[in-house]
Amino acid sequence: MIRNGREYRITKAQAKKFEQALAQRKERSIEKGVYPRLAKAQKDAMQSQLQSLRKQISEYERLRRRGGKALDAI
């Protein structure tokens, strides 16, 4: 869970990196020398992590909108 502005900025930056990495994977068709199952597992893991980061960001933003200044106490 994101507890403050610093963690929020770091999480947003990490989410952006995952988005860029997934976009680059789409540009390349099949990576040379990587088994298709392994490539799919890597892609699925990246998508899962991105989804988790987005959920944390969304939850933090929702709490901030509600006026949750005491997020550090959570």
Side-chain angles (χ1 to χ4, degrees), residues 2 50-60:
I2 301 171
L50 177 58
Q51 182 180 12
S52 176
L53 292 170
R54 285 178 174 163
K55 183 179 177 184
Q56 290 178 43
I57 290 166
S58 177
E59 186 175 329
Y60 179 81

Side-chain angles (χ1 to χ4, degrees), residues 22 25 37-51:
L22 283 166
R25 288 183 66 83
R37 283 187 184 178
L38 178 59
K40 182 179 179 335
Q42 290 172 337
K43 178 184 169 194
D44 291 348
M46 290 171 66
Q47 288 175 326
S48 176
Q49 184 64 41
L50 177 58
Q51 182 180 12

Side-chain angles (χ1 to χ4, degrees), residues 3 5 11 17 23 27 33 38 47 67 69 73:
R3 290 177 261 161
T11 304
K17 288 179 183 180
E27 290 175 5
L38 178 59
Q47 288 175 326
K69 288 192 172 196

Side-chain angles (χ1 to χ4, degrees), residues 1 56-68:
M1 170 179 229
Q56 290 178 43
I57 290 166
S58 177
E59 186 175 329
Y60 179 81
E61 289 172 344
R62 182 179 53 81
L63 289 170
R64 291 296 296 180
R65 281 193 303 272
R66 287 184 166 179

